[in-house]
Amino acid sequence: MRRVAVFGATGSIGTSALDVIARHPDRLRAEALVAGGNAAALVELCRRHRPAHAAVADPAAYPALRDGLRAAGLATEAHAGAGAIDALAADAASDTVVAAIVGAAGLSSTLAAARAGKRLLLANKESLVLAGELLMAAVREHGARIVPIDSEHNAIFQCLPDAEARAGLARIRLTASGGPFRGRTRAELAGVTPAQAVAHPKWSMGPKISVDSATLMNKGLEVIEAHHLFGLPGERIGVLVHPQSLVHSLVEFIDGSTLAQLGLPDMRTALAVGFAWPERIDSGVASLDLLAQGRLDFEAPDTDAFPCLRLAYAALAAGGAAPAALNAANEEAVSAFLQGEIGFLSIPDLVEDALQRMPDAAAGSLDALLAADAAARASTRAAIARAAVSGTVTHREART
Ligand code: NAD
Ligand code: MG
């Protein structure tokens, strides 16, 4: 029996993970459920899955969680705050952690799970972008096992499950749907709204990653993620736009052979792989009918219209704290875009500004990375506030 702690249980990945868990009561059990601040949604999940522990990050949501669990007649113990969440990640009562908190907020619990030697179903790509070396070192040192839950990295994991399979590896290619604005020019992107940006054509996901998919920053974060997971430099990680989202990524060997993993765009496949590997279990995802799908198209990404992908490659090449600054500036910019404070094209502009402003600092320690994260957030927030004051909400396109 795998005892699973689901971090980000109320989100898109968390819900998919619980769907797979519920299909296998004989082999999977939800031991702990963790969310940000929505106590009511978490109580509902506890009714269904009856975990031993439930936690909210926001201490203000604690009374609602505790009282809701009590009113539901559940024995689930309520917890709140970042410390309690990290303790649940390390708790020996679970052997498997689904890391599906969104953003850098997921780093601490992900690190705690790695240090506790857990099987880590890693959806929270931001923790690898922010502190990839440290996280991978913790995994090695404490005997943890990462199964990537990003569909592309899960595809590569299935093609390259162990070191032996990597012999003769030439490069990997991540596929990208291209998002809702594929084919548009930069000028055509100036007026797009948050509602248009989160309406992803192929995947149903949380708002932050949906905007990242629309800017192609998601693919940029995934290039950095792949670098850490598979130990390849940026030059050996390519990106192919594939609008059907059926080929989830490809690995190419020196002899001309290419392996790919295909399937319908539904994260439950990756999660089932994560729970059962090296076995296979039912995920609830239908089989892929290629005759019904008809065709597979591929094109090169347009980094003029979507500069975030280029910025992420540059941050990876720069190394040090640059990926941490990229990620932090992006989180702040995406949040401001979703709240209607800035335009879509300001997202890459703000990220580029943060990378240029970043001092040359070594990034050997977690403290140094967190300092770079905090500095990039502060400077990005200040730039957003200045743009609001001057009325140039989308500051750069106002000048050009
Ligand atoms: P989401 O917005 O749907 O859910 C986020 C979850 O995190 C929610 O449960 C929320 O309550 C919780 N949360 C937010 N802040 C928190 C905090 N400070 N402490 C504890 N919990 C907090 O997001 P999502 O789409 O499920 O994405 C989650 C992660 O998985 C992201 O890193 C994303 O990049 C990655 N991912 C998602 C998908 C997808 O299909 N949705 C695919 C690949 C990777
Ligand atoms: Mg992905």
Side-chain angles (χ1 to χ4, degrees):
M1 180 68 79
R2 220 169 244 299
R3 287 160 304 138
V4 186
V6 182
F7 290 71
T10 54
S12 165
I13 291 284
T15 305
S16 292
L18 288 168
D19 181 280
V20 176
I21 290 170
R23 288 167 193 277
H24 300 280
D26 52 324
R27 63 186 294 162
L28 300 172
R29 170 178 156 69
E31 186 69 25
L33 300 183
V34 173
N38 189 341
L42 190 55
V43 170
E44 270 319 296
L45 292 176
C46 291
R47 269 187 216 275
R48 169 88 183 76
H49 299 279
R50 304 192 163 260
H53 300 278
V56 277
D58 180 4
Y62 175 75
L65 177 62
R66 179 198 54 203
D67 298 348
L69 290 170
R70 204 178 291 157
L74 295 170
T76 306
E77 204 178 315
H79 309 266
I85 289 177
D86 289 356
L88 283 176
D91 187 357
S94 64
D95 48 48
T96 302
V97 162
V98 177
I101 292 175
V102 60
L107 173 63
S108 182
S109 54
T110 302
L111 267 177
R115 289 178 181 142
K118 306 266 170 109
R119 176 176 286 213
L120 188 49
L121 276 64
L122 183 60
N124 177 247
K125 67 191 86 186
E126 294 91 346
S127 60
L128 272 175
V129 173
L130 171 48
E133 273 99 13
L134 294 176
L135 179 56
M136 296 308 288
V139 165
R140 280 190 300 272
E141 197 176 321
H142 299 279
R145 171 94 204 231
I146 291 187
V147 181
I149 296 304
D150 223 344
S151 57
E152 298 77 4
H153 307 73
N154 190 267
I156 294 164
F157 169 84
Q158 291 185 56
C159 296
L160 302 174
D162 49 42
E164 218 165 275
R166 291 183 200 178
L169 176 66
R171 64 183 57 80
I172 61 180
R173 288 199 175 81
L174 305 177
T175 50
S177 69
F181 306 135
R182 183 177 61 86
R184 295 205 196 184
T185 63
R186 182 173 161 86
E188 288 166 346
L189 292 171
V192 302
T193 65
Q196 291 169 322
V198 299
H200 197 279
K202 291 290 170 191
W203 296 94
S204 160
M205 310 182 287
K208 192 263 178 179
I209 183 175
S210 295
V211 175
D212 285 346
S213 298
T215 61
L216 284 198
M217 180 58 94
N218 183 51
K219 212 49 53 182
L221 299 177
E222 290 182 0
V223 167
I224 301 173
E225 180 185 12
H227 158 75
H228 291 296
L229 287 170
F230 305 111
L232 294 173
E235 304 81 68
R236 290 169 67 196
I237 305 171
V239 171
L240 265 180
V241 174
H242 166 48
Q244 290 87 4
S245 293
L246 298 173
V247 178
H248 297 306
S249 278
L250 310 98
V251 307
E252 186 187 329
F253 297 90
I254 52 174
D255 57 6
S257 181
T258 291
L259 301 184
Q261 185 263 341
L262 288 78
L264 292 174
D266 186 321
M267 294 308 296
R268 291 177 300 173
T269 297
L271 287 155
V273 167
F275 286 132
W277 190 265
E279 293 173 40
R280 297 275 184 174
I281 56 173
D282 169 43
S283 66
V285 179
S287 81
L288 172 62
D289 180 349
L290 280 173
L291 283 178
Q293 297 287 341
R295 52 185 296 161
L296 304 173
D297 294 302
F298 299 93
E299 57 194 59
D302 176 356
T303 53
D304 289 328
F306 304 99
C308 285
L309 179 59
R310 178 172 49 73
L311 294 172
Y313 271 106
L316 174 59
L326 171 100
N327 179 66
N330 181 60
E331 285 190 24
E332 294 300 326
V334 169
S335 163
F337 170 70
L338 284 169
Q339 289 164 53
E341 293 168 10
I342 60 168
F344 187 76
L345 292 176
S346 291
I347 299 172
D349 290 349
L350 287 163
V351 172
E352 188 159 19
D353 285 354
L355 285 175
Q356 279 165 2
R357 252 196 308 268
M358 203 192 62
D360 270 339
S365 71
L366 186 57
D367 284 348
L369 292 168
L370 294 176
D373 171 286
R377 281 178 203 277
S379 72
T380 303
R381 276 198 220 109
I384 291 166
R386 277 198 303 278
V389 167
S390 68
T392 54
V393 168
T394 53
H395 61 299
R396 191 154 300 168
E397 64 267 26
R399 272 188 263 130
T400 53

